[in-house]
Amino acid sequence: MAKRVAVIGGGCSGLAAIKCCLDEGLEPVCFERTDELGGLWHYTEQVKDGQACVMRSTVINSSKEMMCYSDYPIPKEYPNFMHNTYVWQYFQDYAKHFGLTDYIRYNMEVVSVKRAPDFLESGRWLIDTRDHKTGDTSRETFDAVMVCTGHHADKNVPHFAGLSDFQGKVQHSHDYRTAQGLEDKRVVVVGLGNSGVDLAVELSKVSKQVYLSTRRGGWIFNRIDEGSGLPFDLKFSGRLFSTIQSFLPFWLVQQIIKAKLNRKFDHYLYRLAPEDPPLSQQPVINDDLPNAIITGRVKVMADIKKFTSHGVEFVYGSAVDNIDAVLLATGYIFGFPFVEKEVIDVQQNRLPLFKFCFPPDLQHNTIAFIGFFQPLGAIMPAAELQCRLAARGEAKLPSRSEMWEDIRKKEAAMAQRYVHTQRHTIQVDSLPFMDELANLIGCKPQIGSLLLSDPKLAWTVLMGPVTPFTYRLHGPGSWAGAREAVLTTMDRVRFPFSTKPVPRRFDANLRLLAHLLAIAVVIVLMLFIFL
């Protein structure tokens, strides 16, 4: 009889969890609290506490080839950076293709997750649920649990002096959908994360004036790479690039990135430059903020000192009056109130989990927390690898002491590298983290053997972007279509541009020569590094 697995949440991680359970011959039961799959990518006008949702205009920050599931490429017709409607459609197609919706119970909220009385022997769990339509409650026993509820749910609202006396509208970005009602208004946006910058840029097109308040500043990355015009994450995610970078002092890598970002626009002139170098805080990805600043539609302000009844005073002495609305893009506090605290108790967004997934002190590793990390890249491929590892069973995990050693090592690395805030407690570098998970699964690409058996594929895996398909080439869960998906990556990238004919390029030979020279340089660097 197949083991039953409770999957909590039907968003991007929950769908991957269902699929991975089916791949391993398990019986998943997914509890989704809303009436649709997709999690925060299912756009709704209605605002619900504890239910995250994108803005109507949201475009994803990772390109399609880097964010898709590893055995289901996103259609070549889709744009490289997709509007949220494309993302949701992709999730629907993925669920339909693999028959995942048959395992989802909609409008079912999980209210309690507890170890069963025989947990020491069986590793089983008791799940209490509530039906949102009928109000009925029920309890079931499961052999394992995969928590896929996401970390963009509960609003973080910092204390600001005088905010309760402010007479205008106050709204958290969690509750924002469109700019309706803010036309011709004077608005303060608090926070320079991705949500805050997206809000400021969008409002600047309709509001009278937008003031963007930032405590530290930030480095702004563009979706489009200079020169090629291709998605930036394709260029900076390659294995060879990562290997070369690992041999350089980290301070030098930061300075190189800093110089590149300042070539786009001077972050110091635009009053965005923080004290800390790039990669010491979560990157901000936006293509339009510099234009909004240089046209005066957005004014970058310092941290807030206090609110008045109709205005805001900032540190360093500046102030603005006649403010109509304040939008708080101040992040989220996540936790698992439905899971017994002896299993996990999140304090200040800190997760003492092995690979941000498994509690190390349980007698049985039959509960997994999926997607509770913040990568420098797309979250979906790494979350899917967590699902594959969890579905493979607890025998694949190391000892308790080894898990704690890994947890402490990651905590120390984050403390050394990142700005000390509640926001930077779950950071990971995408490629190393995915390789760690893949090593435990046994699906990390074997470039050495590929060089002998399939040189073309080996070269593409080494030189090209680390797409999710590369983790389906070998080992458990390998996919027959992975080779073709890897080799045709750039075809899918280029396809959306094929909307009309263009004149023949006269610099094609020069570009070919430049590529050959680049390859020669790479070979020399490889020889220098490895010999």
Side-chain angles (χ1 to χ4, degrees):
M1 185 175 178
K3 291 185 176 180
R4 300 179 76 227
V5 180
V7 177
I8 305 175
C12 63
S13 296
L15 294 176
I18 300 171
K19 166 68 165 51
C20 293
C21 286
L22 295 174
D23 288 344
E24 297 296 335
L26 306 173
E27 181 185 337
V29 177
C30 177
F31 299 102
E32 168 54 44
R33 63 186 295 181
T34 71
D35 57 4
E36 266 293 357
L37 58 81
L40 66 85
W41 292 101
H42 175 227
Y43 176 79
T44 60
E45 296 286 351
Q46 185 179 5
V47 175
K48 296 181 180 179
D49 284 339
Q51 180 61 43
C53 179
V54 293
M55 302 186 304
R56 180 185 285 178
S57 61
T58 297
V59 173
I60 199 162
N61 286 332
S62 299
S63 65
K64 65 178 181 180
E65 294 300 310
M66 303 304 295
M67 63 147 281
C68 63
Y69 295 114
S70 60
D71 53 359
Y72 193 72
I74 291 174
K76 63 181 181 180
E77 294 83 6
Y78 282 22
N80 283 285
F81 289 100
M82 300 183 292
H83 184 264
N84 62 82
T85 52
Y86 284 98
V87 178
W88 189 55
Q89 184 61 54
Y90 171 67
F91 291 152
Q92 288 183 302
D93 293 343
Y94 175 77
K96 181 178 180 181
H97 180 79
F98 291 110
L100 308 183
T101 54
D102 295 339
Y103 302 90
I104 303 177
R105 300 181 188 177
Y106 293 104
N107 297 297
M108 296 292 290
E109 180 180 4
V110 172
V111 296
S112 175
V113 176
K114 297 180 180 179
R115 288 166 290 185
D118 64 346
F119 179 82
L120 290 179
E121 294 77 32
S122 68
R124 295 190 299 180
W125 298 84
L126 299 178
I127 308 291
D128 292 341
T129 59
R130 179 187 300 114
D131 189 317
H132 279 185
K133 287 189 173 180
T134 65
D136 295 339
T137 60
S138 61
R139 170 173 288 185
E140 296 179 67
T141 302
F142 289 88
D143 297 290
V145 180
M146 298 171 77
V147 181
C148 308
T149 50
H151 56 82
H152 292 90
D154 295 325
K155 295 173 281 191
N156 176 44
V157 182
H159 171 74
F160 291 107
L163 181 59
S164 59
D165 299 324
F166 178 67
Q167 298 299 304
K169 178 180 181 180
V170 178
Q171 184 180 43
H172 193 277
S173 57
H174 173 281
D175 303 330
Y176 178 91
R177 297 293 184 270
T178 71
Q180 184 177 358
L182 295 172
E183 299 90 342
D184 299 318
K185 304 295 185 183
R186 289 165 58 85
V187 183
V188 172
V189 177
V190 182
L192 194 74
N194 284 295
S195 295
V197 172
D198 286 348
L199 274 171
V201 168
E202 177 167 306
L203 290 172
S204 72
K205 298 173 183 178
V206 298
S207 298
K208 187 174 183 178
Q209 182 63 62
V210 176
Y211 300 92
L212 178 57
S213 170
T214 171
R215 183 182 303 173
R216 296 183 186 85
W219 299 101
I220 311 299
F221 290 72
N222 284 83
R223 292 183 177 92
I224 302 171
D225 183 50
E226 286 183 296
S228 68
L230 295 174
F232 79 103
D233 54 359
L234 296 177
K235 182 175 181 179
F236 296 105
S237 67
R239 289 193 174 277
L240 185 61
F241 178 87
S242 179
T243 300
I244 294 173
Q245 179 179 302
S246 68
F247 282 90
L248 299 174
F250 189 62
W251 65 265
L252 179 58
V253 173
Q254 291 177 312
Q255 293 306 312
I256 292 171
I257 295 174
K258 182 177 179 179
K260 178 178 175 61
L261 296 178
N262 276 325
R263 283 201 303 271
K264 182 69 177 181
F265 71 93
D266 188 342
H267 286 62
Y268 294 89
L269 175 65
Y270 281 62
R271 296 303 185 263
L272 290 168
E275 292 278 349
D276 301 285
L279 304 185
S280 61
Q281 60 186 40
Q282 186 66 22
V284 180
I285 301 173
N286 192 279
D287 303 283
D288 303 315
L289 181 61
N291 290 332
I293 293 172
I294 203 168
T295 56
R297 295 177 288 126
V298 170
K299 294 185 178 181
V300 180
M301 310 300 289
D303 192 16
I304 291 174
K305 180 180 179 181
K306 70 174 184 178
F307 286 87
T308 63
S309 59
H310 293 91
V312 180
E313 294 182 14
F314 302 95
V315 297
Y316 307 120
S318 58
V320 292
D321 293 318
N322 301 318
I323 296 299
D324 300 294
V326 173
L327 293 180
L328 303 175
T330 49
Y332 297 86
I333 300 171
F334 64 86
F336 314 100
F338 51 89
V339 181
E340 57 179 326
K341 286 190 176 183
E342 291 77 11
V343 174
I344 187 168
D345 184 17
V346 180
Q347 298 292 332
Q348 296 182 323
N349 284 4
R350 297 186 181 278
L351 282 178
L353 299 174
F354 176 64
K355 304 304 180 189
F356 297 95
C357 192
F358 301 98
D361 289 335
L362 291 178
Q363 293 83 358
H364 296 278
N365 296 303
T366 51
I367 187 169
F369 296 83
I370 307 297
F372 294 95
F373 54 89
Q374 188 69 53
L376 295 177
I379 195 170
M380 277 74 93
E384 184 189 27
L385 284 168
Q386 285 183 325
C387 292
R388 290 173 66 182
L389 177 59
R392 293 279 295 163
E394 58 181 316
K396 303 299 177 183
L397 301 182
S399 67
R400 175 181 178 273
S401 62
E402 289 174 305
M403 287 195 282
W404 270 116
E405 182 181 357
D406 185 81
I407 292 169
R408 299 305 182 208
K409 182 179 178 180
K410 283 181 168 51
E411 288 177 342
M414 274 188 287
Q416 182 178 11
R417 170 174 164 179
Y418 288 96
V419 176
H420 292 183
T421 69
Q422 184 172 276
R423 184 185 180 195
H424 298 121
T425 57
I426 53 174
Q427 306 297 123
V428 298
D429 288 330
S430 294
L431 177 55
F433 184 59
M434 289 193 293
D435 278 354
E436 291 172 20
L437 294 168
N439 275 327
L440 291 168
I441 299 167
C443 65
K444 182 181 175 182
Q446 302 299 315
I447 297 177
S449 61
L450 281 178
L451 283 169
L452 299 175
S453 62
D454 196 337
K456 180 180 180 181
L457 178 60
W459 179 258
T460 305
V461 171
L462 180 63
M463 298 296 296
V466 182
T467 55
F469 321 117
T470 61
Y471 294 103
R472 291 284 184 177
L473 292 169
H474 304 287
S478 59
W479 172 45
R483 181 182 187 274
E484 181 182 3
V486 170
L487 295 176
T488 57
T489 293
M490 296 312 297
D491 294 335
R492 290 188 300 277
V493 170
R494 295 188 180 98
F495 188 86
F497 296 103
S498 305
T499 55
K500 63 178 285 292
V502 292
R504 184 175 179 272
R505 300 183 70 126
F506 290 101
D507 61 345
N509 292 334
L510 292 175
R511 290 173 63 84
L512 176 61
L513 178 61
H515 288 157
L516 292 174
L517 287 173
I519 292 171
V521 170
V522 166
I523 293 173
V524 171
L525 286 172
M526 290 177 63
L527 292 173
F528 176 76
I529 292 172
F530 295 109
L531 295 183

